[in-house]
């Protein structure tokens, strides 16, 4: 009788593990689902880390009680290898060659400094100054009342700020050591977000740097608080069910708005593929998302290729994702991409990497 009960228990746990593997793989490849058609389904990539942890718990269980069954979670990880490499890559630091370009991207939250600084501009400026970056792309680069332009003019030879949308509440900035030949907006529909392509002269080459701030999820402070309460399991069952549905609908609607924006950026890059390209910015979406996968087509994800770990770039509690990215075309070799969690002058951490330009054959 005990032997039969043990067998039934093992089979039930194995079934639960198989179900977890199926859900993990499905969530891992959710970035292939277009949010315009299936907004809620496309958001399941946010659940990928939860299934990774659940599968890890099964792995430890099997290794403790029935080792041969550990094949189930191991096979699950093998099936999900590609999204795991995107979500939490592991790369060894590489020695950098000479003549590399340091690229830095950062959503500076309009230099508000919340919640750690009263004056957010000064720590941001000092960080950028000490970074030694050759190209700095900023999102929410809006600080007209503190007159930041002369400060950046003293640091970089070439500076530009582009205000976005119909509401004066967002801007994209670039500060660089390389001449800005011209710029153009990438056309797509958004009230206060956007993407700008800057044409820089680097040596004998014209390089396109695309700075992006894609559609926000439009979560209020109350929404974020309820989200973290849900994660902690501190909400009553009936309330958690309705709140989960409401939040998922809101995230799905935002993802559906980002989809055509990401497609417009990708089409622009494809149409200008004769140029070396660097793409960066705040995508407002997790690594397993349609927006990230769409823009990354034909490009190298610098963090996935050279970074290590999850690389959380949005530092609010409960939002364990990298939503800021740097990509490059095949004319560049990226090195040692990193999200710097030591500076908290914004609700985002800066992301940076070094790029070595390859000579034309």
């Amino acid at each position: 009788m005990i032997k039969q009960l043990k067998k039934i228990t093992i089979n039930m746990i194995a079934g639960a593990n198989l179900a977890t593997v199926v859900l993990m793989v499905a969530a891992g490849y959710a970035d292939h689902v277009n949010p315009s058609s299936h907004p809620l389904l496309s958001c399941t990539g946010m659940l990928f880390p939860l299934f990774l942890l659940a599968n890890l718990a099964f792995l430890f269980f099997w290794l403790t009680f029935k080792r041969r069954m550990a094949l189930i979670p191991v096979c699950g990880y093998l099936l999900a290898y590609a999204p795991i490499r995107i979500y939490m890559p592991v790369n060894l630091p590489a020695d950098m060659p000479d003549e590399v370009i340091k690229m830095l991207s950062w959503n500076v939250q309009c230099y508000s400094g919340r919640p750690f600084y009263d004056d957010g501009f000064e720590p941001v400026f000092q960080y950028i100054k000490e970074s030694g970056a050759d190209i700095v792309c900023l999102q929410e680069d809006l600080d007209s009342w503190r007159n930041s332009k002369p400060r950046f003019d003293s640091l970089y030879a070439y500076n530009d700020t582009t205000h976005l949308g119909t509401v004066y509440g967002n801007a994209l900035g670039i500060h660089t050591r390389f001449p800005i030949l011209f710029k153009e907006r990438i056309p797509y529909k958004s009230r206060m977000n956007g993407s700008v392509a800057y044409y820089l002269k680097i040596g004998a080459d014209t390089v396109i740097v695309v700075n992006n701030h894609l559609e926000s999820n439009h979560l209020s402070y109350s929404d974020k608080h309820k989200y973290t309460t849900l994660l902690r399991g501190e909400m009553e069952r009936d309330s958690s069910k309705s709140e989960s549905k409401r939040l998922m609908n809101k995230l799905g609607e935002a993802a559906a708005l980002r989809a055509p924006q990401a497609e417009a950026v990708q089409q622009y890059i494809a149409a200008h593929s004769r140029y070396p390209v660097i793409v960066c910015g705040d995508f407002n979406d997790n690594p397993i998302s349609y927006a990230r996968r769409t823009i990354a087509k034909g490009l190298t994800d610098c963090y996935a290729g050279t970074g290590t770990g999850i690389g959380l770039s949005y530092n609010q509690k409960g939002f364990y994702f990298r939503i800021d990215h740097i990509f490059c075309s095949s004319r560049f070799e990226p090195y040692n991409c990193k999200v710097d969690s030591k500076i908290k002058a914004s609700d985002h951490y800066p992301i940076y990497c070094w790029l070595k330009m390859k000579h034309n054959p």
Side-chain angles (χ1 to χ4, degrees), residues 5 13 15 33 41 63 68 78 96 107 133 141 160 170 215 229 233 260 268 273 293 323 327 338-339 349 351 356:
L5 283 172
I13 296 172
V33 179
L41 193 59
L63 288 175
R68 66 185 180 87
L78 291 175
M96 288 182 293
N107 181 322
D141 183 19
D160 185 87
N170 195 4
E215 198 72 29
T229 303
Y268 184 93
S273 59
R293 188 182 71 84
I323 65 174
F327 304 137
K338 183 179 179 181
V339 175
Y349 295 128
I351 181 172
K356 171 70 175 179

Side-chain angles (χ1 to χ4, degrees), residues 310-331:
I310 298 173
L312 306 179
S313 66
Y314 186 65
N315 58 40
Q316 302 301 289
K317 290 181 179 179
F319 293 83
Y320 304 113
F321 306 108
R322 182 175 73 257
I323 65 174
D324 299 86
H325 304 276
I326 299 176
F327 304 137
C328 64
S329 65
S330 59
R331 283 289 307 278

Side-chain angles (χ1 to χ4, degrees), residues 125 146-155:
F125 181 80
R146 290 192 186 94
N147 198 21
S148 61
K149 188 178 185 304
R151 300 291 300 280
F152 279 115
D153 284 343
S154 70
L155 194 58

